[in-house]
Every structure is written in C-alpha cells, then in structure tokens.
Amino acid sequence: MTQVEREAMEYDVVIVGAGPAGLSAAIRLKQLDPEREVVVLEKGSEVGAHILSGAVLDPCGLDALIPDWKEKGAPLNVPVKEDNFYMLGEAGKVRIPNFPMPPLMNNHGNYIVSMGNVCRWMAEQAEALGVEIFPGMACSEIVYGENGEVKGVVAGEFGKNPDGTPGPGYEPGMELHGKYVFLSEGVRGSLSKEVIAKYDLSKGKEPQKYGLGMKEIWEIDPEKHREGTVTHTMGWPLGKNAGGGSFIYHLDNNQVYVGFVVHLNYRNPHLYPYMEFQRFKHHPVVADLLKGGKRVAYGARAISEGGYQSMPKMVAPGVALLGCSVGMVNVPRIKGNHNAMLSGKAAAEAAHEAIEAGRASDELSNYESEVRNGAIGADLKKVRNVKPLWSKYGLTASLTLGGLDMWTNTLGFSFFGTLGHGKNDAEATEPASKHAEIDYPKPDGKLSFDRLTNVSFSMTNHEESQPAHLKLKDPKIPVEVNLPKYAGPSARYCPAGVYEFVEKDGEQQFVINFQNCVHCKTCDIKDPAQNINWTTPQGGDGPNYPNM
C-alpha cells in the first residue's frame, strides 16, 4: 500500500483517551501553564460514551486536582451511607461483618457516581481552561520519530473498505505530534499494547491479570430503593468455577447499578461469564430487589487486576502510560478511578517540568517514580497479595489470608512478601475435555436477558462497511484448534455475542459480528491462542453509554 499523505498538527502534549486519567492530565497541564497546547482525542462519539465503571468513587483524586469540585458542581451527589458484604449460597446469604476489615475497605466518604457523567463534567472543566477535546477521533496508529521515539498519533481515519483499501469517501486522518504523548486508553488499549511490546515495558514484571465486569442499570420500586447503599457479594453462582463477585449500588432517582465481575483466569472453557451474571440476578436477595423494576442500560468492560507487581514500566521515549493503561485498580476495594486521576496529575507535572527545562520526547522518569513511590504505589502495595492468594487458594482462604495481609501491610509489613501471579489469563484456560459442561437456565426476559437483547441496551453501533476491527492473527485457529480443544470459548467469553461458530455446507465456520462489540477487550485477553487482536474501529463507533 502506498504511503498515505497526512497533514500534521503540533502540540505540547497529545492525550489519547478522555477518561479520568487523560482528562486529569489535560486539566493539570493547563493549571500549571495556561499557554500549554494540549489536545485530548476520544474514540467515543462524545466524552463518556465509552466509559463504564462500577462506580463508588474515592474523591481523593478530585481533591488533589480540583479542590473546589463541590462548588463547581461535580456530579458526586450520592454519598455512601451503608456498606454491606455478603457471602451467597444458592438460596441464602451470610453477612460478613465490617469490623474485622482493614480501614482501607471502608467506603465512608466515598460517592456512588456515574463515571461517564464525571468525565463529561471533567471535560467541561478542561475546555474552560482551553484544552482542545475531539470526540469521535479514534487513534489508529502511533507515529514514531527518527530515533524510535513516540512522536504522535494518527487520528480520524475514516472510509476504508472492508478489505482495508481506501473507499470512495476515504479520509486519511491527521497526525497529531507532541513533545510528549500520553496514552490513557483504559484497559488493554491497542496503542498501549503496541508501546508495551515495542519497548519491552513488561520485562521483569508479573503478567497483567484481568476480570470481566458486566453492568446493568435498573429502575426499581421506590419502596425498595435505599439511596447510598453499597452491597458486594461473593460465592454463588461462581463457586469454584471462577473468582469474582457482584456489586449493587443504590444511586439517586430510584436507580440501582447491578454489576458482576468474573476473573478471567478461570480454567473451564465451558464457563459463560454473561450467563453467570444473568443467573446471579435470580438469587432471592437480588430477585426481590429487582422484581417489578426495569433494566434501562447494559454494558461490559475488562478490568485490570494484576495490581502493584503487574504494572509495566510506564514511560518510553516520548510516551507515558496513564491509569488503566498501566493497571492501577485496587482489587479488594474495586476502585481505580482515583488512581487514574492521580496518575494523570503526576504525568502532567512531569511533562510540565520537562518542557520548562527545554526537554522533549525523552522518558518522563519522574512520573514513574511518583506513581510507584507516591500515593498510588502506597494504595496498591497494601493489597498486592489479595489477587494471587485468591487465585492460588480460592475464595474462603483468600478472605482470611488476604484480610490478614491487608492488615499487616497497613502496619508496614507482610508475611508473604510480594506474591506472583504465574500464568496469564489466556494460558489459564484448560482443554474442554478436563471439565464438565455447565448447564445455564434460559433467561426469563424479566430478570435475566439473552445477550443480543441486552446489547441493544448498550446503544452499540458500528458502520458495517468498514474493515472488522477484531483481527485474527491466524484465521484457521478458531475452527481447527479452539473448537476441538477448548469447545470454542469465544462464543461464551464475549459478553456481546460477537463470536459464533456456524455450520455451513457441513463445515464449521467462525463468524465475527463486529458490529455488536462493546469494546470490552475480553477476546484480546482470554483467547487461548492469543489469536484475536482488538484494534480501534473508526471514530465514534461502539457503545453509547448514557450514565455508566
């Protein structure tokens, strides 16, 4: 293919992704120097369209960035009033008391929020400071300089034919160059993955681990609504099949967030995370709450769970990885947004210092040391062993040992040191012959729903004439390897029904319905052969989440 001619625009800092990390970086850069030229590129049709999070927000990140956020009208309107933890059995529940839990598990002072709405508000703050924000601009390529440094990105390429050639309405996009490029794409971003591989940033680190988070918003009977109540559960229905658990958050307007997380290191390829979520809603505790209500939205995304020991090196020449591009989620707290904001602030301060000193396109090592040795590192270091203990010994043992380790870490030491994770999540998948199939009840259309019906509640849309953004490294592997060996797990692990095996003329064929994709990245993570590469579709395509 001939080299595409593109116009280029120059900025001080180019930021990919208008999530909490990217917007925090943009705001901080402008706070430090109002003349700084900063651009934020967002693949969603608007800021917040692709943001999905629990979310109970620890406001410490906002406190550090915009101390007067309350006066400025930040949408943190529902303080947490009550915290409940339950272990579920098939028909009943056991409450886990709050008093033995380490202080870091307390949600007092936190808020139940829509992170989509928080990001929309943050974008308004950034634009008021003079930040340029361009939604609907997917960044499809990294631009490298003569010395191998990251020089910028390509954004806004539209109009390719399904085979990848330029179509009649082709627009080549633009190159946006910066003295520094910040990648704040969220979990398993395509450009971040390329940068981590090119500069070998994961060398000497534990593999990143992931969970799949699925979420519905429900409007429920006002009689059952308890604004400010936060409930987490573990146990049923996953049992020993997988790690994970649920969250139920009562926000305002009689709405409830109902979410379910499945750790992606499960071994049994017959496991069907989406159907585990649907089955969970039939537990008496949940069913009683939701009966008579209606589901108004659905979405899914992967969550980084590797924690402290899995964070790759965060900087390379000209580029820094922010927030979930690194993996800054505190797993037991199920919180990462505060750390994403703090990472954006730290990256901005390091870039400001460098540019003031006349530097450009080098490594922002001050950013990395601030993350590892500052508030983010302290937050993640205390809980670093919870996930590996869970993976190794199962739920019950990990509750005891993980709780003990969090307590001792609060006091400054650990009996376990720093535990490793072992295999990545793709390697954890075992052959189907080693495991029994799992029989899932059919959705009833009232509490539980089939995948495709639910996907319609994510407002997902992709222009079908473009090339599929889900690319197979070897087109033969799904039918020749994954189907006979692993019973075709992609038909189950995807929470949007993108992948299916269809018989045609007596032969199995692998079909990719990319237009259903909600950009969760699970396929990129869990495929046993690591054969699926998630790339960005053209800008604006994908889910359009209202209040996730």
Side-chain angles (χ1 to χ4, degrees):
M1 188 173 159
T2 54
Q3 193 66 34
V4 178
E5 290 283 317
R6 294 187 175 97
E7 288 181 35
M9 290 180 72
E10 303 292 329
Y11 289 89
D12 289 318
V13 181
V14 174
I15 300 172
V16 179
L23 291 169
S24 296
I27 288 166
R28 187 65 182 141
L29 283 160
K30 280 293 201 178
Q31 287 173 340
L32 291 165
D33 182 354
E35 301 304 310
R36 188 77 66 223
E37 292 189 345
V38 181
V39 65
V40 179
L41 304 160
E42 166 55 41
K43 69 180 169 70
S45 58
E46 61 166 351
V47 173
H50 291 177
I51 296 287
L52 185 144
S53 187
V56 171
L57 179 65
D58 179 339
C60 66
L62 265 187
D63 290 340
L65 186 70
I66 307 173
D68 58 345
W69 54 264
K70 251 183 199 153
E71 291 73 26
K72 288 188 167 162
L76 280 67
N77 305 318
V78 182
V80 175
K81 294 174 188 165
E82 190 182 337
D83 237 342
N84 303 310
F85 294 86
Y86 293 110
M87 183 71 76
L88 298 185
E90 191 159 354
K93 65 178 195 269
V94 175
R95 173 137 192 206
I96 302 168
N98 295 48
F99 71 84
M101 293 189 189
L104 64 91
M105 294 297 286
N106 187 347
N107 271 313
H108 181 74
N110 298 332
Y111 293 82
I112 300 170
V113 301
S114 154
M115 277 313 293
N117 291 339
V118 170
C119 287
R120 290 180 183 100
W121 176 83
M122 290 178 73
E124 289 168 12
Q125 308 310 303
E127 287 180 322
L129 293 169
V131 175
E132 291 182 43
I133 300 178
F134 296 125
M137 292 285 272
C139 296
S140 50
E141 289 177 46
I142 298 261
V143 179
Y144 296 100
E146 289 172 13
N147 301 312
E149 77 280 11
V150 171
K151 180 178 161 186
V153 294
V154 174
E157 191 173 29
F158 288 91
K160 282 184 175 179
N161 292 318
D163 65 358
T165 57
Y170 177 69
E171 293 175 29
M174 297 191 69
E175 289 190 9
L176 294 101
H177 299 166
K179 295 183 174 85
Y180 296 99
V181 174
F182 290 172
L183 298 180
S184 47
E185 301 173 287
V187 174
R188 196 82 166 191
S190 48
L191 301 186
S192 306
K193 201 167 79 157
E194 179 183 326
V195 162
I196 289 168
K198 180 180 172 69
Y199 299 104
D200 200 12
L201 301 183
S202 288
K203 185 180 179 184
K205 312 293 183 190
E206 286 294 310
Q208 187 57 267
K209 306 293 282 182
Y210 299 92
L212 169 59
M214 297 156 284
K215 176 180 171 182
E216 294 170 356
I217 304 179
W218 280 71
E219 282 176 7
I220 64 164
D221 179 349
E223 295 285 309
K224 301 174 184 175
H225 188 253
R226 302 283 181 271
E227 185 175 307
T229 298
V230 164
T231 300
H232 292 106
T233 78
M234 292 175 284
W236 192 87
L238 290 172
K240 290 187 174 145
N241 283 327
S246 83
F247 58 87
I248 301 171
Y249 301 155
H250 291 244
L251 56 159
D252 46 7
N253 302 320
N254 299 316
Q255 288 199 330
V256 176
Y257 293 148
V258 183
F260 199 78
V261 177
V262 177
H263 299 171
L264 289 176
N265 60 351
Y266 61 83
R267 295 192 291 271
N268 183 352
H270 296 296
L271 189 93
Y272 195 159
Y274 174 83
M275 290 306 293
E276 297 285 352
F277 175 30
Q278 298 307 303
R279 180 156 65 165
F280 157 76
K281 289 182 290 174
H282 286 273
H283 191 279
V285 171
V286 192
D288 290 347
L289 177 71
L290 300 182
K291 261 176 198 154
K294 64 172 182 177
R295 156 220 45 179
V296 294
Y298 166 74
R301 63 162 286 185
I303 303 163
S304 56
E305 295 186 337
Y308 187 78
Q309 56 271 60
S310 296
M311 293 195 296
K313 186 181 173 189
M314 297 160 217
V315 292
V319 67
L321 304 177
L322 277 53
C324 279
S325 296
V326 175
M328 298 183 181
V329 171
N330 182 315
V331 171
R333 293 185 78 198
I334 325 179
K335 289 180 183 60
N337 290 305
H338 63 299
N339 285 337
M341 292 178 185
L342 292 171
S343 77
K345 179 175 177 284
E349 288 166 355
H352 171 75
E353 185 188 334
I355 294 168
E356 287 291 291
R359 290 161 43 205
S361 300
D362 58 353
E363 293 194 0
L364 293 170
S365 51
N366 283 3
Y367 162 60
E368 173 123 17
S369 57
E370 170 57 32
V371 169
R372 294 198 187 273
N373 305 317
I376 298 170
D379 185 52
L380 296 179
K381 200 169 182 184
K382 285 177 193 166
V383 300
R384 67 192 181 279
N385 292 323
V386 172
K387 169 77 177 178
L389 283 167
W390 193 337
S391 301
K392 198 167 182 182
Y393 299 114
L395 173 57
T396 314
S398 82
L399 276 175
T400 313
L401 297 174
L404 170 69
D405 195 58
M406 285 191 281
W407 266 113
T408 61
N409 270 292
T410 305
L411 302 171
F413 71 97
S414 169
F415 292 117
F416 301 103
T418 298
L419 298 173
H421 293 301
K423 298 174 179 173
N424 69 36
D425 293 333
E427 293 164 343
T429 316
E430 293 180 348
S433 58
K434 288 188 170 186
H435 297 275
E437 288 188 39
I438 302 170
D439 186 25
Y440 290 101
K442 199 168 176 243
D444 68 355
K446 293 174 188 162
L447 290 177
S448 49
F449 312 97
D450 68 81
R451 258 188 317 194
L452 294 185
T453 303
N454 234 358
V455 168
S456 70
F457 281 77
S458 68
M459 321 307 175
T460 293
N461 185 51
H462 292 84
E463 171 58 55
E464 293 189 27
S465 63
Q466 67 183 302
H469 64 281
L470 300 156
K471 302 186 188 304
L472 299 178
K473 295 172 190 171
D474 182 345
K476 296 196 195 87
I477 280 178
V479 170
E480 293 183 6
V481 179
N482 286 352
L483 190 58
K485 188 172 181 182
Y486 300 103
S490 55
R492 290 177 296 280
Y493 61 57
C494 171
V498 169
Y499 303 102
E500 58 180 335
F501 292 88
V502 176
E503 193 171 314
K504 193 175 178 186
D505 302 328
E507 289 189 353
Q508 289 287 345
Q509 293 191 351
F510 187 57
V511 177
I512 301 176
N513 305 299
F514 74 85
Q515 56 274 26
N516 291 0
C517 178
V518 294
H519 299 196
C520 74
K521 323 282 176 65
T522 302
C523 55
D524 195 300
I525 295 160
K526 186 60 178 169
D527 187 73
Q530 290 285 269
N531 188 46
I532 300 172
N533 188 28
W534 191 97
T535 64
T536 51
Q538 64 185 24
D541 288 3
N544 278 287
Y545 295 135
N547 301 306
M548 291 291 199

